[in-house]
Structures are given as structure tokens and as C-alpha cells.
Amino acid sequence: MHHVGIDLAWGDRRSTGLAVLDAEGRLVHVSAATDDDSIISTLRAFTEGRCVVAIDAPLVVTNPTGNRPAEAALNRDFARFHAGAHPTNTARAEFQNGSRGGRLAQLLGLDLDPASRGPRRAMEVYPHAATVSLFRLGQTLKYKNKPGRTLSQLRSELMRLVGLLEGLAAADPSMRLVQLPAWTDLVSGVEQAQRKSDLRRAEDQVDAVVCAYVAMFAERHPDRVTVYGDAATGAIITPTLPAGLEPSIEQPAGVEGAIRHAVQEYAARQPELRAATEEYVALVTGLLDDAGINYLTVTGRAKTVASFAGKAERTDGGRHLYADPLTEITDQIGIRVITYVHSDVAAVADLLADQLRVLDDRDMGQETASEGRFGYASRHLLVTLDHDRPASTSGLLADRSAQVQVRTVLQHAWAEFEHDIRYKGTVPEEHGADLDRRFSLAAGLLELADGEFSAIRDRLRQGGPAVVDDTDDGRDDGDADPRIDAQDLATFLAAQFVDAGWSRTDHYEWISGLLLELGITSLDELAGLLGTLDAAALESRMAYRYPPGAVRRLDDALLAVFGSRYLDLHGNGHREALLRARLDKLRPTGDGAR
């Protein structure tokens, strides 16, 4: 079964938008065409089997003047929302020899009876009315080019519609758009449009997606649509106007107006937000590297305009959740840190709390567990710069917050799969309870696996002193790398700093290079050097508020022993200011450099 949407131009010189959803609600095609032949050739493969084709254009026109009965009836419900239909009649040149929509439906061999439940049928739809009903809008979105509307206004309104459509992934029926590259390219084109004509080409295709969704909605829920008119004089099918929905036409400065303005402003901020996101990624990565905490990845994203618009539109009990979206939607910048084991999640959270200002901290796994169930587990921190701890960033991050999600790789796998199935997929109602049980079972098993991985690491860390023979590695002396082998160094440090977490593999290689600059090329030399240190005094002076990794512990030990000489190493040139601040903690009365 395919659900096809056609935003049909009344003439064959203007662009017609085409969109196709498969039986699962996945967008499988979106494009633009012009003449009838190109439309037919594009859609033929999707309409040969079972299909419902929704066309935004009159299919049957018999009245010589005025409105068709369908338009008159629809306007009584929707005109007050600015969603009234234009009159069509045979006096207009476009309909003197029938309608283009009707001809296309016949060429595709589709049944035009609005009451039909046949396997291959067409219906006339009207996107403006449909969006009012589907999204409970107080008035239509103003993305059509009319006098007085600026490019910025048109773009922001079209992005609001994009966000609402992408939000239908969680609706019944579910529509999934973002997996199709052509859709993401289309949305990117809207965000970057420099001319109204650019928006016009995209607008037709977005309207076609609305049409395709109405086709699926009507096919799945015939009891939730209204048919205006009849087969003989023309019929328009649209999702039924929600009871009690009132227009907001006379209140443009209210919540609807605030949301519209917020989306416009957010669209204007997008380039700066992307740059700020890159800086936050670099900042968090730098903090983790400096602390020597082991992690798999650090990634970031600036919330898209479509996603922001969709979230800004959310309601609860008919009331908008965000009166001031620009300040109340706090995940405009999102950072994700993936760790290997659960204890590192806490280490990352402690580090962020020490180095940044934490505005909010939610342990979603703990919240789930407190309800006596298994499920989504992730640490969510809302952070901003701490003015008492100047960071080496540009002014982009000043007064900007970021949501940082921290979770293990297993928690991440569960969250991504669950999101993909529930949010982007269609879960039949009859399978809902069983899938809930299976997701809970999977979450419980992964929690056990996380625990076992942590136990394995703890066992290795507590396994006692490691004996590493670094006198002969089997290499030819002429080609030998004089640095201490990174794996040998990791084993040595695990025994030297038993309570320290593992560090990233590349961190061991990096600090091995620093050891070489200091002339330390064997573990025996390193052990002798560390044996001269008062480890307890060093830890007391550093006053760690988070569990530093093994490489960070060695880094601080080398700084304590070599002082300014360590700062001057070539490999430390990029972090001299940071090391000098640490040295002030270690040597408050002088650096005592060797």
C-alpha cells in the first residue's frame, strides 16, 4: 500500500509537488514535476498496486459559477481559521474542459468516489484545512507568498510546518520523514533559502507530504475525517475539525504570535548556534582529555529549525507548553558523551560539575529505577560556563547553555534502537504491550551487562602490581621506538594508581611521548621517579572533585617533579596556561624545577 500526495499546479508550467509514503508511513519519495507526463512517469511505480492518492486540486467541477457545494461547506467550518477554499467553477479557463486533477486520476486508473474503499482510489484534499485540524492551529501557517510577507517570515512559517510534520513520527498514524535524504536536503534548502522562489519550490513538495499524510490518515481512520460535498459535484476530504477549537486570528500578539516570532528568531540564530555547538564539543572534549577520563565519543548538534518549531508547538490540554520558546527550550545545543562503563558516566558528570556551572542534573536511569522498572538510562546535565572559571573559548558561549547527555555505549545502543522503533516506527496497538515488555527485558539485560563490564574493569584494576619486562621487545635496535610502549604503560599505571580510572588509548601514547622528551624510556626509570613522590600530599593539593584517569594522575606527578621544565616540553605547548594553573596548586611557594 502506498499513500501518495500531489500538490497539483492548476497549469502545467508551474511546479507540482509529489510525495509518497509506504505502508509503514515512511517517506520513500519526494520531488517536483511539471507536465502530466512527468507526473505519471514518476508515480506509476507507486500506483500500480494498492494505493490512496490525495490531490490538492479539484477533481470534479460541474457548477457554472460560484463555489462548489464542497467548498461552501468546508468554508463554513474553516474560513474563520483563514483556511477557506478558493471557488472553482466551469467559467474558469482551467475547468472548462474538466479538471487537471480528474484527468490525472483517470490516467492512473483511480476510483474517484469519495465513499469508495477500493484498492486504488483518489481523493481531493486541502492542506490548509488539514493542518488546522491535525495540529490544532488557531489559524493557518503563513508560508504562502502574499504581499507584505518577507522572506524571513515565509521561511520561518514553512519551517514551523516542517517541524510539525516531523513531529507526526509520534502520532497515530505515524509518518517518518527524516530517513529520506531527499527530505533532509529539502529542509536544508528551506533553511538556507535566499529568495522567495527557492521557498516556493520547496513549499509545493512540503504540501505534497501533507497530502500524502492525509491519504494515510483517511485510509487508517475513516471515522476521523469529514467529507465535504459528494461524488457528483466534487468532494473534499480532510481530518475533522477538533471540537472546541477556536481561531486565534484576532490575537496575533498572543502565544501563536510569540511562537512565530521565536521560530523566526531561532532561524536567524542558526549559524551562530552551530558555531557555538562546535565550541562546546571542543570544550567538553578538552575537559575530558585534561582529566584523563576514558570515553568513546563526544558529539554535538545544534537543534534544527524544524525540530525547534515542532517543540515550540507542543501543547498539553490545549495549552502551549512553552510561552517563551527561545528561553524555555533548553536543548538548542546538545552534546552527547558516550563512555564504556557506568562509573565513567558519574566521573564525567562530576567533572562537568567541577569545571562548569550545572543548571540542572537529571539521572534518567535512576528516575526509571525509582518507578520499579527498566528502561531509558542516561545522565542529562544542563550546563553553562562558570564565570569564576574562565574558559579558553570565544564569546559565543557566554550565557549559552548546553544539554549534555552522558551514557554508556550499551545504554546508548538501547536508547537509539528504542527511539528508532517507537519514535520513527509504527507500533501496532495489538503489539504494544508485548514490545513494552521486550524493551524492558532488553534494558534489564543491558544493565546487567554494564555491571559485568564494570566488574571486569575493577578486577583488572585491583589485580595487584604488574610486572612488565621492557628490556627486550624483540625489535631490531635500529628500528626500535625508544618510547615506552603504550600498552605496557597502561598496565603499569593501572597497578601504580589502583583507584584511578582507565584513560583513552591515545592518551597513553601521548604521555609516552612526553616521557621520552624527559629522557624516561623505561618503566624502571618511571617507577623510581614516582617512588620519590608523596602521592597523598599531591592528591591533597590537587583536591580532585572528580575521579581523574590514570594518565592525568601521571601528568600531575610529572608536573610536581619537573615543574617549569615540564611546562616547556614541546608536547605541552598547547596547554601551558592550563598546566601553569595546576602548578600553582602543587607549588604555591615556587616551582622547584629540576
Side-chain angles (χ1 to χ4, degrees):
M1 166 68 79
H2 286 109
H3 304 97
V4 180
I6 305 177
D7 182 52
L8 186 63
W10 284 9
D12 60 6
R13 293 185 179 180
R14 300 185 66 180
S15 174
T16 286
L18 306 175
V20 183
L21 304 175
D22 68 10
E24 301 300 320
R26 290 183 290 258
L27 183 66
V28 295
H29 179 87
V30 63
S31 68
T34 51
D35 58 35
D36 292 357
D37 288 342
S38 62
I39 295 172
I40 294 294
S41 63
T42 300
L43 297 181
R44 181 71 72 185
F46 301 112
T47 56
E48 288 178 340
R50 291 174 55 82
C51 63
V52 179
V53 180
I55 304 174
D56 176 20
L59 302 184
V60 176
V61 182
T62 60
N63 52 304
T65 60
N67 286 316
R68 294 179 296 164
E71 290 150 359
L74 181 140
N75 289 349
R76 283 193 289 271
D77 282 345
F78 287 95
R80 58 201 175 106
F81 296 92
H82 281 189
H86 296 295
T88 54
N89 52 67
T90 58
R92 302 188 61 159
E94 302 95 330
F95 305 109
Q96 288 177 356
N97 298 307
S99 70
R100 187 186 185 193
R103 288 193 298 273
L104 280 174
Q106 290 175 352
L107 288 170
L108 291 170
L110 304 175
D111 186 350
L112 291 179
D113 185 351
S116 172
R117 298 295 293 172
R120 300 178 65 255
R121 59 190 190 274
M123 63 176 66
E124 180 182 338
V125 299
Y126 185 39
H128 270 335
T131 56
V132 167
S133 292
L134 290 171
F135 306 123
R136 301 185 64 90
L137 301 177
Q139 59 178 307
T140 55
L141 300 174
K142 310 305 182 188
Y143 59 92
K144 301 288 185 180
N145 188 17
K146 297 288 178 67
R149 294 180 184 173
T150 66
L151 172 65
S152 175
Q153 291 170 330
L154 296 173
R155 180 171 50 223
S156 67
E157 288 290 270
L158 187 54
M159 288 306 300
R160 284 183 69 196
L161 178 56
V162 167
L164 291 168
L165 291 173
E166 290 183 352
L168 290 173
D172 177 23
S174 171
M175 177 171 67
R176 291 169 288 162
L177 304 177
V178 297
Q179 298 96 329
L180 185 69
W183 173 259
T184 56
D185 291 344
L186 181 69
V187 174
S188 178
V190 173
E191 292 177 328
Q192 300 171 23
Q194 299 299 311
R195 298 184 301 273
K196 291 182 179 180
S197 57
D198 297 333
L199 293 178
R200 173 67 191 181
R201 284 189 289 272
E203 165 203 315
D204 298 326
Q205 297 175 65
V206 174
D207 278 345
V209 172
V210 176
C211 295
Y213 185 77
V214 174
M216 182 168 64
F217 188 94
E219 191 265 333
R220 300 274 178 84
H221 298 294
D223 58 322
R224 292 166 58 187
V225 298
T226 298
V227 179
Y228 296 96
D230 53 41
T233 62
I236 302 173
I237 298 176
T238 195
T240 300
L241 186 67
L245 183 64
E246 294 295 331
S248 60
I249 295 171
E250 302 305 323
Q251 303 171 21
V255 175
E256 292 275 347
I259 291 173
R260 188 175 302 114
H261 172 75
V263 174
Q264 292 174 359
E265 178 64 23
Y266 187 78
R269 295 181 184 182
Q270 264 286 290
E272 197 173 86
L273 276 171
R274 293 193 189 102
T277 300
E278 292 178 4
E279 283 205 21
Y280 256 119
V281 169
L283 174 62
V284 172
T285 302
L287 291 175
L288 292 171
D289 288 344
D290 182 59
I293 294 175
N294 199 17
Y295 63 90
L296 177 61
T297 58
V298 180
T299 57
R301 66 97 186 100
K303 200 174 193 68
T304 66
V305 179
S307 180
F308 178 88
K311 194 165 187 176
E313 291 282 357
R314 289 182 187 174
T315 60
D316 182 17
R319 300 189 61 176
H320 284 90
L321 293 176
Y322 303 103
D324 184 2
L326 284 171
T327 57
E328 295 174 12
I329 295 178
T330 56
D331 63 343
Q332 296 172 27
I333 295 175
I335 309 298
R336 182 173 291 157
V337 180
I338 306 300
T339 70
Y340 289 98
V341 294
H342 195 265
S343 58
D344 286 336
V345 172
V348 173
D350 289 345
L351 172 67
L352 295 179
D354 182 57
Q355 298 293 316
L356 301 172
R357 188 158 63 96
V358 176
L359 305 176
D360 189 37
D361 183 358
R362 294 184 64 188
D363 188 331
M364 309 304 291
Q366 196 172 68
E367 291 183 18
T368 302
S370 69
E371 298 171 2
R373 58 187 180 87
F374 296 103
Y376 179 69
S378 182
R379 190 82 173 262
H380 289 191
L381 299 99
L382 183 64
V383 303
T384 189
L385 295 184
D386 187 342
H387 297 301
D388 294 331
R389 292 178 176 273
S392 56
T393 61
S394 72
L396 274 178
L397 302 192
D399 300 318
R400 287 190 193 276
S401 62
Q403 185 191 79
V404 183
Q405 297 181 0
V406 191
R407 51 186 182 237
T408 69
V409 65
L410 291 182
Q411 290 172 340
H412 182 61
W414 186 94
E416 288 295 289
F417 184 72
E418 196 264 357
H419 179 270
D420 193 62
I421 295 298
R422 289 193 189 277
Y423 184 75
K424 299 178 182 175
T426 301
V427 179
E429 187 175 349
E430 63 271 21
H431 300 319
D434 181 57
L435 288 178
D436 285 344
R437 187 182 71 85
R438 290 178 183 274
F439 273 122
S440 295
L441 177 61
L445 291 172
L446 290 179
E447 186 172 315
L448 286 172
D450 256 336
E452 289 305 307
F453 286 154
S454 294
I456 289 169
R457 190 183 74 163
D458 291 344
R459 177 70 61 86
L460 292 174
R461 283 167 54 187
Q462 298 169 8
V467 179
V468 179
D469 182 4
D470 62 348
T471 60
D472 183 6
D473 60 7
R475 295 175 295 195
D476 185 277
D477 288 345
D479 297 326
D481 185 342
R483 293 177 301 174
I484 298 172
D485 180 75
Q487 186 174 352
D488 292 345
L489 182 60
T491 304
F492 172 83
L493 293 181
Q496 184 72 32
F497 303 114
V498 176
D499 58 339
W502 286 342
S503 295
R504 284 171 61 87
T505 301
D506 56 340
H507 289 175
Y508 293 101
E509 296 172 350
W510 164 76
I511 204 162
S512 181
L514 294 181
L515 289 170
L516 179 61
E517 283 195 67
L518 292 168
I520 301 171
T521 59
S522 74
L523 294 176
D524 284 342
E525 292 178 83
L526 182 58
L529 179 71
L530 296 179
T532 66
L533 275 177
D534 184 342
L538 188 151
E539 286 188 48
S540 175
R541 286 188 173 178
M542 289 306 301
Y544 301 116
R545 293 191 177 95
Y546 53 87
V551 168
R552 169 61 188 270
R553 293 284 294 275
L554 176 58
D555 194 33
D556 286 339
L558 296 174
L559 182 61
V561 172
F562 292 97
S564 293
R565 180 184 168 193
Y566 191 62
L567 267 66
D568 294 337
L569 295 180
H570 175 74
N572 284 330
H574 65 290
R575 59 188 193 125
E576 182 179 348
L578 185 149
L579 288 176
R580 194 170 298 282
R582 275 201 241 155
L583 186 58
D584 289 342
K585 282 186 175 182
L586 292 169
R587 300 290 178 86
T589 59
D591 66 19
R594 288 173 45 156

